[in-house]
Amino acid sequence: MASGWFYLSCLLLGSLGSMCILFTIYWMQYWRGGFAWNGSIYMFNWHPVLMVAGMVVFYGGASLVYRLPQSWVGPKLPWKLLHAALHLMAFILTVVGLVAVFTFHNHGKIANLYSLHSWLGITAVFLFACQWCLGFAVFLLPWASMWLRSLLKPIHVFFGAAILSLSIASVISGINEKLFFSLKNTTRPYNSLPSEAVFANSTGMLVVAFGLLVLYILLASSWKRPAPGILTDRQPLLHDGE
């Protein structure tokens, strides 16, 4: 039964993650004029798409690699590599998203890093970079002792969840900031809830739902990797000779 709920949650998570990315793309394409890479406002439109994809969806999915029952048996190295590779992909998307917004700001002579949204975002990215480098050095490379890994693992897990939470807060504040800037001089301002505002707010709610589900799966004790020698109803059984 626990196994069924886990895979159902993963299916829901995949659906929510896909919707988060697709809704953000549609918002930027339909209401904000589409995409370009030329320093214009259309270059900025890559920023929300890539940050949602990288810092929320790919990051959240990468965080759950060790919740898969298949990772509980056999060598751990392939799962470590998958965990690191997915996070690296998330980080690359994030860096490209930052290049898009900084290039747009510099081209239009707009100040950088002045809003709470930008402070939350850059803090999340900085912690993400530190987290990935520490994880690579301590948990992937063979030099670290088991004592050091045991000491740092709770810190690694805590900051993993903290970075995701910061990312969600940054995305939500970014959606709100974009709507305030884009709708302040229109015939239907933000406070009249035009269709763009309803759609963007709904996108934000999808991001929140995705993040909460990731955190629930991470924190649910019955879905964590069992201690050595303990078998659960979610762990694949190995037959004699396998």
Side-chain angles (χ1 to χ4, degrees):
M1 185 64 179
S3 178
W5 279 115
F6 174 79
Y7 287 112
L8 182 62
S9 297
C10 288
L11 179 62
L12 177 59
L13 194 70
S15 300
L16 284 173
S18 299
M19 290 173 67
C20 287
I21 297 173
L22 292 174
F23 271 47
T24 310
I25 292 173
Y26 186 80
W27 176 26
M28 293 297 108
Q29 181 68 47
Y30 183 77
W31 278 284
R32 296 293 110 207
F35 304 91
W37 198 264
N38 56 8
S40 69
I41 185 64
Y42 306 114
M43 184 173 182
F44 170 86
N45 291 345
W46 284 108
H47 175 66
V49 172
L50 293 171
M51 301 311 279
V52 167
M55 288 298 294
V56 177
V57 178
F58 273 82
Y59 183 94
S63 301
L64 298 178
V65 165
Y66 294 116
R67 294 298 178 268
L68 293 171
Q70 291 82 357
S71 71
W72 298 353
V73 294
K76 292 181 66 175
L77 182 59
W79 299 99
K80 289 184 177 184
L81 292 172
L82 177 62
H83 182 70
L86 288 175
H87 271 123
L88 181 60
M89 187 179 301
F91 190 72
I92 291 171
L93 291 173
T94 299
V95 169
V96 178
L98 289 178
V99 170
V101 69
F102 277 106
T103 302
F104 164 68
H105 279 189
N106 294 337
H107 189 267
K109 294 180 170 54
I110 302 171
N112 290 305
L113 301 176
Y114 66 88
S115 66
L116 178 59
H117 159 67
S118 61
W119 287 18
L120 288 169
I122 207 67
T123 300
V125 173
F126 174 75
L127 291 175
F128 185 10
C130 295
Q131 173 88 337
W132 194 91
C133 291
L134 177 67
F136 181 84
V138 174
F139 297 105
L140 192 57
L141 297 182
W143 70 270
S145 66
M146 290 303 298
W147 174 85
L148 181 60
R149 292 181 179 183
S150 298
L151 178 68
L152 293 179
K153 182 180 176 181
I155 300 173
H156 188 69
V157 171
F158 168 78
F159 275 101
I163 291 166
L164 179 62
S165 301
L166 280 172
S167 300
I168 293 168
S170 179
V171 167
I172 298 307
S173 60
I175 290 173
N176 211 26
E177 186 177 284
K178 178 62 176 175
L179 288 173
F180 275 122
F181 286 156
S182 301
L183 301 177
K184 64 180 179 181
N185 294 319
T186 59
T187 55
R188 293 200 64 193
Y190 190 12
N191 60 10
S192 67
L193 268 186
S195 56
E196 180 181 359
V198 172
F199 187 87
N201 286 350
S202 300
T203 302
M205 294 302 294
L206 286 174
V207 169
V208 171
F210 176 87
L212 289 176
L213 184 55
V214 170
L215 292 174
Y216 175 75
I217 295 175
L218 281 175
L219 298 174
S221 58
S222 61
W223 292 350
K224 292 182 180 179
R225 183 186 181 95
I230 298 177
L231 193 67
T232 73
D233 64 338
R234 288 180 54 233
Q235 187 169 352
L237 294 175
L238 295 179
H239 299 291
D240 291 339
E242 291 187 352

